[in-house]
Amino acid sequence: MGKSGAQKRLGVYGYLFTLPFVVIFLIFNFWPTIYTFVLSFGNMRGFMKSFSFVGLANFAKLVSDRYFWGAVGNTFIIWGLNFAPQLGLALLFAVWLTNGKLHLIGKNQFRALFYMPNLLTAASVAILFRSLFGYPVGPVNQILMKFGLVTESFNFFRSVTASRLIVAFIQWWMWCGQTLILLMAAITGISPSLYESAVIDGANEWQCTWKITVPLLRPMMFFLLITSMVGGMQMFDIPFLITGMHGEPDFKIRTTAVYMYNVGFQGQNNYSYAAAISIGMFIITIILACFINYITKERTPKIYKGGKK
């Protein structure tokens, strides 16, 4: 039986409603992605009007580029310093805020307050923390000197360790609220009957959390790990703006995204090599995502059914 006229009209309306998204996606997402792949096999730079293919030359250069691998290392160091405390603290607060036995006052206000940094623009946050840790008369330096913790002003952005910790703290501060919201949503989806059965069997709060909540949060934590890693590989705004736009000091907070921007839009304006760097970031992300999926997936134990080996 064919579709009625009303059903056909509804189908047409559905296509019309999705058309704006499809058009915007093709123009601002799909086409730039394809163009980046094409550009990575060429020699486009500066104001060159001609474009010629050079094959895998850009990728051969990328493999031996110590600056690229240094940027990859910086990216994972800063991401690791950010993600580990972010997940741990967000999980702790998520368990507290979803525990009905604690009767915490102002839980909804605390959730909103915790999420607010995520709503701020990266540029304003970078300016704020650059002012807070400014040298020589920034508020942090003044507080440290007032309490006698230092005898003279400390230039945080000349120290590799301090700069990395500041960038990692900013990333944690901005994104911990989103992690908290997702973990709370996952915890509220766990059936209360599991906790009731555990309490009847004599389990305490810690055992319920460790034996029920944490294992059932495994899919959500895997999702957070993957998305955080993807976001970490794309970390650009804070490391770019917090110092001199080249990852100072000593290029130790220069992430892969900052290095790609430096190559493509500063100095030689080597667009093709910058495109190759972005493809390299994509390949590294895919490999790591597959590796994490492999080591974290649940494996069914093999059952011996008898017979010949």
Side-chain angles (χ1 to χ4, degrees):
M1 183 180 295
K3 294 183 179 179
S4 64
Q7 290 176 327
K8 291 181 179 179
R9 286 195 298 272
L10 288 174
V12 172
Y13 291 148
Y15 287 116
L16 290 176
F17 289 140
T18 57
L19 183 61
F21 166 78
V22 174
V23 172
I24 293 174
F25 174 80
L26 291 176
I27 295 175
F28 295 103
N29 196 317
F30 182 74
W31 166 243
T33 302
I34 299 300
Y35 184 70
T36 300
F37 273 94
V38 175
L39 199 62
S40 65
F41 293 97
N43 64 346
M44 179 67 71
R45 67 172 65 211
F47 295 98
M48 290 176 57
K49 295 182 179 179
S50 60
F51 176 84
S52 58
F53 285 93
V54 296
L56 298 175
N58 288 321
F59 294 98
K61 178 182 177 181
L62 185 66
V63 171
S64 58
D65 187 354
R66 63 187 181 93
Y67 298 109
F68 170 73
W69 293 111
V72 172
N74 295 335
T75 302
F76 280 102
I77 290 173
I78 296 173
W79 173 72
L81 292 173
N82 153 43
F83 181 73
Q86 178 188 142
L87 182 62
L89 193 61
L91 179 60
L92 178 63
F93 279 112
V95 171
W96 282 350
L97 294 173
T98 53
N99 192 335
K101 297 179 181 179
L102 295 180
H103 302 291
L104 297 177
I105 301 174
K107 290 193 293 185
N108 294 331
Q109 291 78 3
F110 183 81
R111 295 174 190 174
L113 184 65
F114 217 76
Y115 188 76
M116 280 183 64
N118 191 253
L119 304 177
L120 301 176
T121 62
S124 61
V125 172
I127 294 172
L128 171 63
F129 277 84
R130 187 173 176 84
S131 300
L132 288 174
F133 291 91
Y135 176 84
V137 291
V140 174
N141 267 314
Q142 292 182 8
I143 293 172
L144 292 177
M145 293 179 67
K146 182 177 181 179
F147 287 96
L149 298 176
V150 294
T151 57
E152 59 182 8
S153 297
F154 179 72
N155 195 337
F156 290 91
F157 297 112
R158 288 291 183 89
S159 168
V160 172
T161 302
S163 299
R164 283 176 168 175
L165 289 175
I166 290 171
V167 173
F169 175 79
I170 294 173
Q171 295 294 132
W172 169 85
W173 181 67
M174 293 184 65
W175 293 100
C176 192
Q178 179 173 336
T179 304
L180 171 65
I181 297 298
L182 292 174
L183 287 175
M184 289 179 63
I187 291 175
T188 54
I190 300 175
S191 175
S193 61
L194 296 175
Y195 297 101
E196 294 171 359
S197 301
V199 171
I200 293 173
D201 290 338
N204 55 33
E205 290 289 336
W206 169 253
Q207 291 172 329
C208 288
T209 301
W210 189 249
K211 299 294 184 179
I212 298 177
T213 305
V214 173
L216 293 179
L217 286 179
R218 184 175 176 177
M220 177 55 71
M221 289 193 286
F222 170 69
F223 169 79
L224 290 171
L225 176 61
I226 295 296
T227 54
S228 178
M229 185 193 66
V230 173
M233 287 297 294
Q234 299 174 351
M235 194 188 313
F236 171 77
D237 36 25
I238 299 299
F240 181 76
L241 296 170
I242 199 74
T243 55
M245 297 187 292
H246 289 84
E248 295 86 350
D250 198 24
F251 306 113
K252 293 302 183 181
I253 61 170
R254 181 169 66 179
T255 61
T256 49
V258 173
Y259 181 55
M260 178 185 67
Y261 183 88
N262 295 151
V263 170
F265 301 99
Q266 295 175 330
Q268 298 180 352
N269 291 45
N270 193 337
Y271 304 130
S272 289
Y273 189 56
I277 293 173
S278 67
I279 301 302
M281 293 166 54
F282 173 74
I283 293 174
I284 292 173
T285 304
I286 292 296
I287 292 174
L288 290 176
C290 293
F291 175 72
I292 293 172
N293 182 44
Y294 174 76
I295 64 176
T296 57
K297 69 179 181 180
E298 296 182 1
R299 292 174 173 82
T300 304
K302 295 181 179 180
I303 301 176
Y304 178 69
K305 298 182 178 180
K308 296 182 179 180
K309 295 184 179 179

